[in-house]
Amino acid sequence: MFKRDGKKDPELFQNVSEGLKKLYRTKLFPLEDTYRFHDFHSPALEDADFDNKPMVLLVGQYSTGKTTFIRHLMEQDFPGMRIGPEPTTDSFIAVMHGEQEGLIPGNALVVDPKKPFRKLNAFGNAFLNRFVCAQMPNAVLESISIIDTPGILSGEKQRISRGYDFAAVLEWFAERVDRIILLFDAHKLDISDEFSEVIRALKNHEDKMRVVLNKADQIGTQQLMRVYGALMWSLGKIVGTPEVIRVYIGSFWAQPLLVPDNRKLFEAEEQDLFKDIQGLPRNAALRKLNDLIKRARLAKVHAYIISSLKKEMPNMFGKENKKKELIANLGEIYARIEKEHQISPGDFPKLAKMQEILANQDFSKFQAVKPKLLEAVEDMLANDIAKLMTLVRQEEAAMPSQAVQGGAFEGTMNGPFGHGYGEGAGEGIDELEWVVARDKPTYDEIFYTLSPVNGKVSGAMAKKEMVKSKLPNTVLGKIWKLADVDKDGFLDDEEFALANHLIKVKLEGHELPTDLPEHLIPPSKRGHAE
């Protein structure tokens, strides 16, 4: 489909997943293939990468509660699960939904076209012997899959004994998952060398990262503040981004709290983390789109680097020496490409890693620049992605509210144990008596000093009293609107008491409701409240 000016119309797609697959196969893959992108950065994507459920990757040192965290979310043991204070999980375990409960070993997993793990065979047998899929029927797993990872230890010995590139495997997963959760133990907060290295390997995926400061119920408030401060300081040094990563503090398991002082904080934090995880299915298409854009930008830069190296190579003699010289001067080549093509420095691959891979490559097999391939990717980024973006929004609007259900996610919705139930504006929700009546005698004393006319005080009179709370006018305006139940511009004694009750709610640090809850409506107004 062409327009008159010769420019192609953006592709038309039935749905986001199909659109992503088609764009990748027709526009991005040819560029990746020509410039051997897969040897340098990341294996080619397959259909399963676009179709799979959102995945959550758990990373942390041993005994930070990763496996317990998964068990807590699902409220069920999973096959292959081992929990203990010593390093117990020595494998990567993909916990996924399946009708039958059981374990699938790594070598069988990487030949299954329906699973998004086929390209992991590149890491060899040492890794595949340490990779399993635990399948089971569970409501939580109907919406997401969870990847448990081996506990990270410190010291050189651990790195050597693994027999595969641990950081590279994590990077592979990081590229494909929707959320990376780093777990820390509030009781023993030390970040080992290998953990620092792992966090650095996840460098380009900070947008997917969340941090959980687990086992926070083992220490008191004062110590918890110090631990939190120390964690933020350490992370700031390793992650090196100006944005602060969101840290959730709590005790993510179903046992009684050891130090219950911070119960309210833990409840609020768990609620926030659950909301974040529950939103993953809804945002999955957007995440895949975002990852494809990231990949396309890297593939474009990679093509410029490879074609520049090809251009510099002599036709006949001195190839080996020229290759060494080019690798040594790769930083200058980066700078030249950056300037020539107006590319952001953040889009370039890591210099040291690129030099290391280039040392083992045959430069004579590199391709010269092919403008058509680059134009196809440019066109994809400029036009097709915008079209898909619109489709993402339409799909989201058409879907029923997609959220992770089951397991611990149900507990937050049952009965009076949702966060904030019966607190603040919700206080007295289950009581027969109007909750405001408890303090009404005190409020009545103030009311009668304001010289009410026909049993009511005007806005000007009420304001004099209400501003004593030192709350901003915007908040007091909202309180007035909620308290003037009959909307007559005056407050009677019940409405005045209600206004004072809402001021108290706000001063105690709770949020005001958007609309007045039924249990707060004064008894005499319950017939005619709008």
Side-chain angles (χ1 to χ4, degrees), residues 242-299:
E243 301 85 22
V244 176
I245 292 180
R246 173 69 162 98
V247 176
Y248 299 92
I249 303 166
S251 182
F252 294 89
W253 67 336
Q255 302 301 318
L257 301 175
L258 293 176
V259 181
D261 307 3
N262 300 305
R263 182 187 193 101
K264 265 188 162 172
L265 169 71
F266 298 162
E267 278 175 11
E269 294 283 283
E270 185 171 64
Q271 198 77 9
D272 285 357
L273 179 60
F274 281 5
K275 265 189 205 153
D276 187 68
I277 295 172
Q278 282 182 300
L280 293 178
R282 193 172 163 76
N283 302 320
L286 196 55
R287 194 276 303 166
K288 284 171 186 160
L289 187 64
N290 190 35
D291 282 356
L292 191 71
I293 296 168
K294 265 195 219 169
R295 190 180 174 100
R297 288 164 71 116
L298 179 60

Side-chain angles (χ1 to χ4, degrees), residues 461-474:
M461 293 306 289
K463 181 182 175 182
K464 279 182 193 169
E465 187 56 39
M466 287 167 74
V467 293
K468 289 180 185 173
S469 66
K470 297 192 174 69
L471 286 171
N473 279 353
T474 48

Side-chain angles (χ1 to χ4, degrees), residues 154-164 193-194 197:
S154 52
E156 192 63 34
K157 182 177 154 287
Q158 180 61 25
R159 258 170 279 186
I160 295 162
S161 66
R162 286 197 198 275
Y164 60 90
D193 314 339
E194 194 183 19
E197 191 186 312

